[in-house]
């Protein structure tokens, strides 16, 4: 499988912003892939991932978390050498506004990194991931949490094209090496399905037909995980330079 270093090459991160960082999952990729960096700041609207973030990077004083909404970043224009957004485009209520903010705080000549799974062109095992993900979206949406179904690759390329990056490289990252029916994996996914079923069961009683439909879909997905198996869906990673004239 292609490594983070092969994707990011000899890139020096400088001052890096990781938007919608959650518990900092993408920062592990940055640490592995960047040649070097001065500082990484991860921001997220919620502090749900802050404790896990702090624990993961406790030995790295130059990596820190800040709670902030990406539609209104607290920094002046051109504050960062690198900005990143991973696994989050489909979580945003106002995508154009967030992308405009990222562009604003990125220096001319700086690097924009976007990483996002997509829903088309997947194997049957990867399609299990896509369908599970869309069910998670349905449960989140029923609870009033912003979460959209994933984009197609073509839609992602169109979004990336709006960023005015020259040059830009696109890498499709896909790992089909694991056993798609590994018993530990199936157990882990079963636990996640149980947690989402509990959340669906906790919806207001007025939503009874919706709850029943979500529960049925969850059990069908449990069957699918067992019979077809699971691989993570392919992700596209775009790395591009902000045009000096943008
Ligand atoms: C799937 S998680 C991201 C995970 C992380 N980037 C990673 O790759 O491990 C999506 C995150 O987007 C965050 N989010 C959604 N809208 C946001 C916004 N306007 N500003 C900042 N974070 C936002 C959510 O709170 C959530 O933590």
């Amino acid at each position: 499988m292609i490594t983070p270093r092969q994707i990011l090459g000899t890139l020096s991160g400088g001052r890096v912003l990781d938007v919608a960082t959650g518990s900092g999952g993408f920062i592990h990729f940055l640490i592995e892939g960047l040649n070097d960096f001065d500082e990484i700041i991860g921001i997220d609207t919620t502090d749900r991932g802050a404790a896990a973030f702090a624990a993961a990077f406790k030995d790295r004083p130059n990596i820190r978390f800040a709670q902030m909404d990406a539609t209104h970043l607290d920094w002046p224009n051109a504050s960062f050498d690198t900005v990143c957004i991973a696994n989050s485009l489909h979580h945003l209520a106002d995508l154009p506004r967030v992308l405009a903010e990222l562009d604003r705080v990125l220096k001319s000549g700086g690097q924009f990194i976007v990483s996002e799974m997509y829903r088309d062109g997947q194997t049957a095992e990867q399609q299990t991931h896509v369908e599970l993900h869309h069910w998670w979206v349905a449960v989140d949406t029923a609870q009033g949490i912003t979460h959209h179904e994933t984009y197609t690759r073509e839609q992602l390329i169109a979004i990336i094209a709006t960023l005015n990056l020259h040059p830009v490289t696109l890498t499709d990252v896909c790992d089909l090496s694991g056993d798609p029916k590994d018993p530990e994996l199936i157990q882990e996914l079963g636990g996640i399905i149980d947690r989402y079923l509990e959340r669906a069961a906790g919806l207001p009683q007025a939503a009874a037909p919706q709850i029943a439909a979500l529960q049925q879909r969850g059990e069908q997905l449990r069957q699918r995980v067992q019979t077809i198996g699971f691989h993570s869906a392919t992700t596209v990673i775009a790395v591009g330079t902000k045009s000096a004239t943008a």
Side-chain angles (χ1 to χ4, degrees):
M1 191 180 141
I2 190 161
T3 64
R5 192 42 85 97
Q6 286 168 321
I7 296 167
L8 296 183
T10 54
L11 197 65
S12 286
R15 189 171 190 228
V16 183
L17 178 66
D18 182 40
V19 164
T21 196
S23 53
F26 192 65
I27 293 176
H28 298 285
F29 172 91
L30 295 173
I31 291 170
E32 222 184 301
L34 288 172
N35 205 31
D36 52 54
F37 61 89
D38 298 328
E39 177 187 25
I40 300 179
I41 304 171
I43 68 119
D44 203 288
T45 37
T46 83
D47 63 358
R48 277 192 303 266
F53 185 107
F57 307 115
K58 64 179 187 314
D59 298 326
R60 292 185 176 265
N62 60 343
I63 299 181
R64 65 184 171 90
F65 177 88
Q67 191 171 356
M68 200 182 294
D69 190 325
T71 57
H72 294 92
L73 295 171
D74 279 353
W75 292 280
N77 296 353
S79 294
F80 291 90
D81 303 291
T82 305
V83 298
C84 315
I85 184 159
N87 309 311
S88 298
L89 294 181
H90 66 282
H91 282 266
L92 301 174
D94 190 345
L95 173 65
R97 170 80 199 171
V98 169
L99 295 181
E101 272 296 88
L102 295 190
D103 181 60
R104 182 183 69 74
V105 298
L106 180 62
K107 293 176 184 169
S108 285
Q111 297 297 314
F112 209 128
I113 303 175
V114 179
S115 177
E116 186 85 0
M117 74 177 259
Y118 52 88
R119 68 167 188 254
D120 54 329
Q122 309 287 337
T123 67
E125 293 84 355
Q126 290 179 303
Q127 193 60 30
T128 303
H129 184 189
V130 173
E131 290 184 20
L132 269 173
H133 182 273
H134 289 176
W135 176 61
W136 299 333
V137 166
V139 175
D140 281 346
T141 304
Q143 288 193 314
I145 298 167
T146 302
H147 194 177
H148 307 292
E149 294 195 350
T150 47
Y151 295 100
T152 63
R153 189 177 189 282
E154 194 179 331
Q155 287 171 328
L156 287 176
I157 302 311
I159 291 168
I160 291 160
T162 66
L163 300 175
N164 197 20
L165 306 172
H166 304 285
V168 60
T169 61
L170 299 174
T171 309
D172 292 273
V173 180
C174 157
D175 182 4
L176 305 181
S177 63
D179 174 3
K181 294 185 188 171
D182 174 62
E184 265 182 44
L185 172 70
I186 289 181
Q187 197 182 356
E188 187 191 334
L189 291 169
I192 296 173
I193 290 171
D194 288 341
R195 287 202 292 283
Y196 273 82
L197 283 171
E198 270 170 39
R199 287 177 51 194
L203 287 167
Q205 254 337 95
Q210 192 186 7
I211 295 172
L214 286 170
Q215 287 172 331
Q216 189 186 18
R217 209 168 141 191
E219 293 306 340
Q220 285 166 349
L221 283 162
R222 197 194 301 279
Q223 282 298 313
R224 183 182 173 108
V225 166
Q226 288 163 6
T227 54
I228 294 178
F230 177 98
H231 276 143
S232 292
T234 305
T235 293
V236 65
I237 302 184
V239 182
T241 305
K242 176 172 172 176
S243 171
T245 54

